[in-house]
Each structure stands twice: as C-alpha cells, then as structure tokens.
Amino acid sequence: MRLFPHARKAPPSPPISRLRARILAALTGVLALLAASMAGATGTHAVAPPPPAGWTEVFLDDFTGSGGLGGNWIYRTGHQIPGGPANWGTGEVEDNTTSTANVFQSGGNLNIRALRDGAGNWTSGRIETARDDFQAPAGGVLAFEGRMQLPNVTAGAAVGYWPAFWVLGQPYRGNLWNWPSVGEMDIMENVQGLNTEWGTMHCGTSPGGECNEKDGRSANTPGGSPSLQTGMHTYRVEWDKSRSPNEIRWYLDGRQFHAVNQSQISSGTWAAAFNHGFYMILNLAIGGEFPAKTGGGPTGSTASGGTLVVDYVRVLSRTGGGSDPGDPAPPTCGPLLSKNKPATTSSIENASLGPQYAVDGNTGTRWSSAHVDTGWLQVDLGSAQPLTRVRLNWETAYSSHYQIQLSTNGSSWSTPVDRFGDGGIDDLAVNGTARYVRMNGLARGTVYGHSLWEMEVFGACPGGGDPGPGDPDPPGTTTWSPGVAYTVGQMVLYNGVTYTCRQAHTSIVTWEPPNTPALWLAS
C-alpha cells in the first residue's frame, strides 16, 4: 500500500553564530510580512481534550505562551549536530535557528516557519523534547499524539517542503551514528504539499536490513477534507506492550492506517529499537531525500513562509489493553479444517489477492477485498462439522467491526461472534456445527478494505463430543443450576437444549442460558 519510499531525519546541532543571529533579527520584520502575504498560518487553537478513560497524561504542551519556547524543549540549530551526519543525514538544506522568525508561540499555537532570503538560503526550525524517557509501560500502551495543520502551500509553491512529527530512540543522544538501530517512529510526515500522511518505523541497519532502510516500514493515507494543509488534524502513534507480540499502530483523526507487529522483526532488532525511552521531535525541513523521491525541490517557485502550526502535543499512558477482555480463550486441541478448502468472497482488490490465499497456510499471501466499507470471506469445509475455534490473522487493512457466521447449508446463518476489532491476531472460541464459515466485515478500520493473511477454522477436540445439533447430551454435560461456577467451554442442559459457556462466571437466578446470550451459546 506504500506509494513512495522515504528517508529518515537525523537529530540535533549547535547554536547559530551571533552574527547570523543579528542578521536574522534585522530581517525578521520583512520576512514575517513576506510569510504572511505568501503562506500565512491559519490554524486555530483548541484546548487539548482530557485523556480518555483509563489513560494518564504523561506530558502535554498546548503552547499557550508567546514568543520563544520554555524548558520543555531543546532547539536544534544549524545543519547538523557537531560530529554527526551533515545536513541531518537526509540532505535537507535549511539552516535551523532559534529565531522567533522561525519558531514562536502565538494564539495558543506553536509555529515553525520556513523562510528564504534574497540569496535563496532557507532558514527553519527543529525542536525536540528535553525529556527522552517516554516508554510504554510493561503490559501497557503509550501514545504520542499531536494536533496540527501542515504548511498551507500546494503544487509548485510546496515543492521541497517536508514537515514532520516523530520520535527517536534515546540512545541516539549518546551516539550520533547508531541510527536506525535505536528505533524511530514517524508519527506524521508529509511532502510537496500533498494531502497525504506517511507513517513509518525505522530499525535495524541501513541500507536495507529488516526495516528496508532508508525507506523504513511505511504506509500512507489520504488526508481527507479539510485537507492536511487547510485544517487541523490529529496524528497519533500507539506503542502497545499489552499484547504479545507487541505492536506499533498509526492513526489519523482516530482512524488506524498502519501497524507494525513485533513478529515481523527479529527479537534482537526489536529489542535494540524499543528497549529504551524516546523523545519527540517537530521540524519543518526544506529539500532532502524524501522530497527528492517525490518531485524534488526546493525551486525558485517554492513559497517562503510556509508554517507548521501545532495546537498541542502530548504523551498518554495506560496499563492493560490489547485483546478484548471479554473474549474467552479458545481450545487449542482441535484439528485445522480450513486449509486449502474452497473459499469465496464479496470482492477482491485484484487477482493476486483472491480468497484462496487466506486459507493456503502461507502467511506471506493474503486476501483483500475491494476498498469498501463491508466485505466477507467464506470457506466451505465440505461437510457440516463441529467447530471450536476461528483464528484471524489480519493484514494492516483490518475489520474494525465484524462477525463470525456459521451455516450448514449456505443460506441460513447463525452469528456466534459479533465484535469490534483492532487488527493483529484474533483467536476466537466459536462453538457450533457448520459446513460454511464466514468472516463478515461490517466496518473497515482503514481507508483500504478488509484483508486477512490467514483465516483458520478448527474442529472439535478429540473425544470432546459434538457441540452442535444432533448430540443433545454431549459427554460431560450437566443440568444448569444457580450458584455454580462455570468455566469457558463447559456445557449444560436447560429445558432440553445444550448450551456452551462463553465467559467464566458464577450463575444466579435470571442468568438462565436463554436470558444471557453473552454467557451461553445455544447449540
């Protein structure tokens, strides 16, 4: 789904010379007028929303001051950190400064403005948090989030513009030549005034390596309306240690568009990239490797004065998370029934992404629907068989709301599972008898469609009996009674019908199986 590869931005640099500072100060008024006339900032300020339930705010700056920045931030100036890669390691051409012509607070926003002087030289701004200890808690989730409007320049006026909001591994501050092994997460990147956001993870070695450097493991998504250049949008990355394997997820305005799973990277490379803290960086680059891949720049037509307007940035943390706590653990003793069985679908993205690739046992191939809101994938097991489990291995384009449906004839369907998802792997307890098993996607979680690396359907455990119709009294079944502690998978009889426990609980009167479908599944 990647359209264009891109390169990283390298960190820090020294203070500008006093002579340059005097020159910049003298030009501030003229440059500010030029900026206003050509590409004035139009962002609006809003108070950062309170943390959602279960989240704790670790860091917040909503830029309510004026003029320069306070102690939360470090200015990185010039073209490199002394002893580090020239031009920030990316070939960008701007001279980053501490001048309030380039970096300033106003109206509740941070403004980072790129300016060109009469000789064609560019100045801009690059700042990073003083703190570098932002790290996901063990068993929890950390989120980096910012609300901002990208420079309001497009087409020829935007050639060479490269705004970014990203985080870099703390070890970089001690060794300027250990990128990309220390890890980098690009929360937002944009080039050439395109109404497109890129999100990327960098790791391992460069060039090449496990993260395909310098491009990284990247995806992009359309900016929607208003465009990224004409309105405020919220950019977010979640670093999730609550699930195993761990996962990094990217969001634009609350909609996930990219994820990288720990299982995709070797354990040593993942540990080197994530077993430490990170610090946030905001910068507005001009020129460099990423713009060079998408049209080049800057040119004589590139507008001076384009401004990255930042409403707020923050870091949130929560303990727990990951898979739905209401999902009962499925049994793992049943045989795989679905491999290489006939599969059909509502639609496909193209011929190389057909439904057969989701049941071929190969996690390197996948099924993908067309880029539509709803889509289903169905497998024919050949005959009606008792089932215990369905395992879904989602590609980046996951279903945010889906059902597992069962049928013995392909026309009458039951729905033992109806849930909201967040991608990754969903391992589900599914009890019933069916020939046809369908994943029915009701809502997509990304701008793409619905896509699975694998859909695996498992049968009954050996000696476990048939949980479906035709076996009204399976072995081990007891009569339902109040005051009993029932466990997941336990079967009971109630008024002649067999029910399977879906969630562990202690029964009470009024929780009889017909009244509590969340607890009991009728066979």
Side-chain angles (χ1 to χ4, degrees):
M1 300 177 192
R2 185 180 315 146
L3 295 182
F4 300 105
H6 76 288
R8 88 179 245 268
K9 308 140 297 302
S13 167
I16 58 174
S17 70
R18 294 181 180 178
L19 175 59
R20 186 187 301 153
R22 293 190 189 103
I23 294 171
L24 288 170
L27 290 174
T28 296
V30 174
L31 292 173
L33 288 173
L34 178 61
S37 65
M38 297 188 70
T42 58
T44 57
H45 171 68
V47 175
W55 290 86
T56 300
E57 201 163 65
V58 177
F59 175 91
L60 169 68
D61 198 332
D62 58 2
F63 304 108
T64 55
S66 60
L69 295 171
N72 284 338
W73 297 93
I74 298 170
Y75 290 83
R76 295 302 186 184
T77 58
H79 295 277
Q80 67 181 124
I81 304 174
N87 298 99
W88 305 107
T90 66
E92 55 201 77
V93 301
E94 82 287 347
D95 179 7
N96 293 300
T97 83
T98 61
S99 169
T100 52
N102 296 117
V103 182
F104 62 96
Q105 298 179 93
S106 177
N109 296 319
L110 166 69
N111 298 265
I112 302 179
R113 179 167 291 164
L115 299 169
R116 183 181 57 213
D117 64 20
N121 300 309
W122 286 88
T123 59
S124 189
R126 179 191 189 99
I127 61 171
E128 62 187 52
T129 55
R131 286 186 60 176
D132 55 17
D133 60 346
F134 300 125
Q135 186 171 8
V141 187
L142 193 76
F144 299 99
E145 181 180 281
R147 182 174 182 263
M148 58 196 71
Q149 178 180 332
L150 306 191
N152 192 10
V153 287
T154 58
V159 173
Y161 270 81
W162 183 7
F165 171 38
W166 49 297
V167 296
L168 188 62
Q170 183 276 334
Y172 191 87
R173 284 181 166 168
N175 178 357
L176 302 177
W177 295 95
N178 61 3
W179 185 90
S181 65
V182 295
E184 176 181 324
M185 292 176 276
D186 299 331
I187 305 163
M188 177 283 298
E189 287 186 286
N190 174 265
V191 287
Q192 314 294 42
L194 299 172
N195 189 25
T196 302
E197 179 200 356
W198 279 263
T200 306
M201 183 183 110
H202 295 281
C203 72
T205 58
S206 180
E210 294 181 63
C211 275
N212 187 38
E213 300 302 348
K214 284 184 168 182
D215 298 342
R217 289 183 173 264
S218 184
N220 62 76
T221 186
S225 180
S227 72
L228 304 180
Q229 288 74 28
T230 58
M232 286 281 185
H233 293 267
T234 302
Y235 304 88
R236 180 181 175 105
V237 157
E238 290 185 357
W239 175 6
D240 190 348
K241 287 186 176 180
S242 71
R243 56 168 49 189
S244 181
N246 295 175
E247 187 173 68
I248 313 296
R249 296 183 292 271
W250 282 256
Y251 300 83
L252 174 61
D253 294 327
R255 172 178 51 79
Q256 183 182 336
F257 70 93
H258 183 38
V260 177
N261 190 281
Q262 185 179 9
S263 63
Q264 299 172 264
I265 309 293
S266 68
S267 58
T269 297
W270 187 273
F274 292 106
N275 283 3
H276 49 70
F278 282 75
Y279 54 97
M280 291 188 288
I281 303 172
L282 289 158
N283 72 292
L284 177 52
I286 298 294
E289 293 169 349
F290 194 6
K293 292 176 181 288
T294 55
T299 69
S301 299
T302 303
S304 176
T307 306
L308 174 63
V309 183
V310 183
D311 183 11
Y312 70 84
V313 294
R314 66 179 178 180
V315 181
L316 302 170
S317 178
R318 71 179 168 105
T319 56
S323 60
D324 185 341
D327 291 340
T332 58
C333 51
L336 176 62
L337 304 176
S338 53
K339 185 176 179 179
N340 293 324
K341 293 296 174 65
T344 53
T345 181
S346 56
S347 65
I348 59 173
E349 183 177 347
N350 60 57
S352 68
L353 300 172
Q356 69 272 23
Y357 298 118
V359 293
D360 62 358
N362 182 356
T363 55
T365 62
R366 64 185 175 95
W367 158 75
S368 180
S369 76
H371 294 182
V372 292
D373 288 331
T374 60
W376 54 263
L377 174 72
Q378 177 179 309
V379 61
D380 179 358
L381 302 177
S383 63
Q385 303 188 52
L387 308 178
T388 57
R389 175 188 180 200
V390 173
R391 187 176 186 270
L392 303 176
N393 184 352
W394 295 100
E395 197 258 350
T396 298
Y398 68 96
S399 299
S400 59
H401 183 195
Y402 67 90
Q403 300 168 329
I404 299 298
Q405 297 182 314
L406 308 180
S407 176
T408 57
N409 56 19
S411 57
S412 301
W413 296 86
S414 63
T415 306
V417 174
D418 186 323
R419 75 189 301 276
F420 293 90
D422 57 3
I425 294 176
D426 291 333
D427 206 352
L428 308 168
V430 177
N431 292 287
T433 296
R435 171 176 175 173
Y436 303 94
V437 180
R438 175 184 289 180
M439 187 292 297
N440 184 33
L442 302 176
R444 52 182 168 166
T446 72
V447 295
Y448 309 104
H450 306 256
S451 183
L452 285 164
W453 294 110
E454 284 292 305
M455 174 175 166
E456 297 173 300
V457 180
F458 295 85
C461 298
D466 182 346
D471 186 359
D473 192 6
T477 300
T478 58
T479 300
W480 181 91
S481 299
V484 176
Y486 289 107
T487 59
V488 173
Q490 188 171 351
M491 288 183 274
V492 300
L493 281 176
Y494 187 87
N495 288 343
V497 178
T498 301
Y499 293 86
T500 303
C501 180
R502 303 182 69 179
Q503 296 187 45
H505 68 283
T506 299
S507 60
I508 62 173
V509 175
T510 73
W511 282 11
E512 290 88 348
N515 301 330
T516 53
L519 300 177
W520 296 101
L521 176 68
S523 298

